Amino acid sequence: MSTKTPWWIRVPVLFFLIFGLMEFFIDSGDKPAIIEYPITQFFLLLVLMILIAIELILASIENIMFQTLTEEGKERYLEAKTKKYEWTWLQNLMKKLTRTKAIEKEEEIILDHNYDGIRELDNVLPPWWVYLFYVTIVFGVIYLIRFHVINEYDQASEYEQEVAAAKIEIEEYKRTAKDLVDVNTVELLTEASDLSAGETIFQTNCVACHMADGGGGIGPNLTDDHWILGGGIKNVFNTISEGGRAGKGMIAWKQSLKPAEIAQVASYVITLGGTTPANPKEAEGDLWEDPDAQ
């Protein structure tokens, strides 16, 4: 009944193996199954108790069987159990890879050279070194054919491909990362949560000049079709970010608002178009038509 691996290694290994399999097969989304489904905690506790119980049962059976042995059998059993495990396969592998002669057999490969009592051994090259040398030759031939005969690609083209792929990834990241939005990538937001956030920003920062309903006061009317610096989400975003006309226009809000917040309030301002304010201010600027509209 003796084993090479002690119980204090077997139990944790089996426990974590079962734990890993449980996490792999149970679909719990972003959270670990042990957190998402508390019943799994009870399951793991039960597994641990069963593993410990099995070890105790095996130890009891081993003890009972040991007591039934003769004195000579007990001695042989204890000797076998306490015998240190030898990694013979690893030792044999090392011998094959190094192919060295034992010290007792070095007389077989000693050379006749004698330099002030220093003798030389005629050892063969280690097989691992020879195999590695062969691998480098094969690699060199493949590399030569691939890059100097076929001219599959070179470092310059590989660099250009990687840069092009990185630019695409950066643009995709900018498109989805709200706080990296700019006047070139901004798009009209239509989600209720974004428009609600934009309205909150407008009511906090913009009503003093444009009124709560966008009808205009110190600032222009935001509900008509006339725009001083152009309409549409990109123009409105740029106006809010960079400010209005020099000396008499709106301040630049890019120091106070994040790009995502500017996109939200700009989208909300667009929704004010066509509404009816209580006291609309006269139209200012030019009639703006969306060039992308069909």
Side-chain angles (χ1 to χ4, degrees):
M1 296 296 295
S2 63
T3 58
K4 300 297 182 183
T5 309
W7 67 268
W8 48 269
I9 292 180
R10 289 196 303 269
V11 171
V13 167
L14 290 174
F15 177 79
F16 284 108
L17 177 62
I18 295 171
F19 173 75
L21 291 173
M22 181 191 74
E23 289 289 346
F24 179 78
F25 286 106
I26 297 179
D27 185 7
S28 57
D30 296 333
K31 295 183 179 179
I34 194 172
I35 296 177
E36 185 70 15
Y37 305 110
I39 189 65
T40 58
Q41 300 175 14
F42 173 76
F43 169 75
L44 289 175
L45 178 62
L46 184 62
V47 167
L48 181 60
M49 293 176 63
I50 290 174
L51 291 175
I52 294 175
I54 291 174
E55 290 295 333
L56 292 174
I57 292 172
L58 290 176
S60 299
I61 294 174
E62 182 180 9
N63 184 55
I64 293 172
M65 294 182 66
F66 179 76
Q67 298 301 327
T68 61
L69 296 174
T70 63
E71 292 299 324
E72 184 181 353
K74 289 180 180 180
E75 291 180 4
R76 289 201 305 269
Y77 176 80
L78 292 174
E79 182 181 354
K81 189 172 182 179
T82 55
K83 185 178 180 180
K84 199 171 182 180
Y85 182 74
E86 295 182 359
W87 298 83
T88 54
W89 66 270
L90 183 59
Q91 294 173 356
N92 293 333
L93 178 63
M94 289 299 297
K95 286 181 180 179
K96 289 180 180 179
L97 290 178
T98 57
R99 202 183 293 173
T100 56
K101 285 279 186 180
I103 296 178
E104 297 81 8
K105 298 181 179 181
E106 283 186 351
E107 289 293 335
E108 299 175 8
I109 57 172
I110 198 167
L111 296 176
D112 295 334
H113 305 157
N114 190 326
Y115 302 97
D116 295 330
I118 300 174
R119 308 291 295 274
E120 182 181 359
L121 297 177
D122 188 20
N123 276 314
V124 297
L125 287 172
W128 67 265
W129 189 95
V130 176
Y131 299 151
L132 187 61
F133 180 67
Y134 291 155
V135 169
T136 60
I137 294 175
V138 173
F139 175 83
V141 171
I142 295 174
Y143 186 92
L144 176 68
I145 295 173
R146 185 178 180 185
F147 296 104
H148 295 280
V149 178
I150 301 177
N151 290 323
E152 183 174 348
Y153 66 89
D154 54 24
Q155 289 183 337
S157 60
E158 183 180 13
Y159 170 77
E160 291 171 358
Q161 292 171 5
E162 292 293 335
V163 169
K167 286 182 179 179
I168 294 174
E169 292 178 0
I170 290 172
E171 291 302 320
E172 179 63 21
Y173 178 71
K174 285 183 177 180
R175 189 179 66 81
T176 55
K178 291 185 176 181
D179 277 333
L180 289 181
V181 69
D182 57 24
V183 68
N184 298 311
T185 60
V186 65
E187 294 181 358
L188 181 65
L189 303 177
T190 57
E191 293 288 336
S193 58
D194 288 319
L195 295 177
S196 177
E199 181 180 8
T200 300
I201 297 170
F202 184 86
Q203 297 296 333
T204 303
N205 301 287
C206 309
V207 295
C209 297
H210 296 284
M211 300 301 171
D213 55 9
I218 299 174
N221 185 350
L222 301 176
T223 65
D224 56 37
D225 295 330
H226 290 72
W227 294 86
I228 298 173
L229 297 174
I233 186 62
K234 293 186 182 297
N235 288 322
V236 175
F237 179 95
N238 186 65
T239 302
I240 297 172
S241 175
E242 306 301 325
R245 295 166 293 178
K248 57 179 178 179
M250 179 178 63
I251 65 169
W253 286 94
K254 62 183 178 182
Q255 305 299 332
S256 305
L257 299 176
K258 296 179 180 178
E261 294 173 327
I262 297 176
Q264 289 170 335
V265 70
S267 298
Y268 173 73
V269 167
I270 298 294
T271 65
L272 294 176
T275 60
T276 306
N279 298 298
K281 188 178 179 181
E282 258 184 56
E284 300 177 73
D286 300 321
L287 181 66
W288 189 84
E289 294 182 2
D290 188 352
D292 298 325
Q294 299 296 330

